[in-house]
Amino acid sequence: MRMSIADIHRGMKTRAAPHTSRTPAGARVTMIPLDLTHQTLTSDAISDDFRAMPNHTGPASAGLLDFFERFDVEKYGSQGGPLHDPNVIAFLLQPELYGGRVINVEIETASALTRGMTVADWWGVTDRVKNVNYLRHVDVDGYWALLQERLATLR
């Protein structure tokens, strides 16, 4: 079983962590974990598509992708670099590109060894209150098509 664990700035903010998964009544929280953003890795073909756009934004975006992809490939040995922030915007624009379910998510604040760790109870083992819409899947082709479509509308 693969466990989704990410500390996304929580390690530095463990005082606030107990409050991040406890929201006002009716508020909905959606989490896009690293396991999902690493499904949307950049590639030479994507950079080439951006670079070929007849505007300034496409080629500028390709330059950024090339730079950050090189870092991820060299440091982590991955096939490309993930884009975390665009996944948030893509989810807001086209939530149907994403799949997941509401589960319990807690931030570990007590252990010196795992403080700041995000613990996602995907299988409902704990019977804790389900408090987060946890996304696990993305239509990768749809994601990149949306990014390309939106970037093409800019100058």
Side-chain angles (χ1 to χ4, degrees):
M1 179 175 100
R2 191 168 167 199
M3 181 63 83
S4 297
I5 299 173
D7 65 356
I8 311 173
H9 306 295
R10 300 262 201 286
M12 297 179 290
K13 301 177 182 178
T14 53
R15 283 185 171 162
H19 306 290
T20 59
S21 59
R22 292 173 182 80
T23 59
R28 295 188 332 214
V29 174
T30 295
M31 182 175 179
I32 302 176
L34 295 176
D35 285 350
L36 185 139
T37 62
H38 282 253
Q39 294 173 38
T40 57
L41 297 178
T42 59
S43 69
D44 290 340
I46 291 165
S47 290
D48 291 346
D49 287 346
F50 287 4
R51 193 172 287 104
M53 289 180 186
N55 61 12
H56 297 289
T57 304
S61 298
L64 289 170
L65 292 180
D66 292 342
F67 175 80
F68 288 107
E69 178 181 271
R70 183 174 53 246
F71 171 80
D72 285 314
V73 168
E74 289 174 10
K75 182 166 182 160
Y76 303 113
S78 62
Q79 297 298 311
L83 298 181
H84 310 293
D85 297 345
N87 270 285
V88 174
I89 303 305
F91 174 74
L92 293 171
L93 293 173
Q94 286 189 312
E96 64 275 9
L97 293 175
Y98 294 83
R101 64 182 179 225
V102 178
I103 65 169
N104 178 267
V105 174
E106 299 292 334
I107 312 302
E108 174 59 53
T109 60
S111 170
L113 181 61
T114 58
R115 187 174 61 207
M117 181 181 286
T118 302
V119 181
D121 184 12
W122 182 259
W123 301 110
V125 175
T126 65
D127 292 327
R128 293 182 182 199
V129 174
K130 296 176 180 178
N131 57 350
V132 172
N133 178 29
Y134 188 92
L135 301 180
R136 195 164 174 184
H137 309 284
V138 59
D139 172 352
V140 176
D141 292 336
Y143 166 82
W144 285 112
L146 175 63
L147 261 58
Q148 188 169 359
E149 170 193 316
R150 296 299 171 147
L151 288 176
T153 66
L154 302 173
R155 293 182 357 148

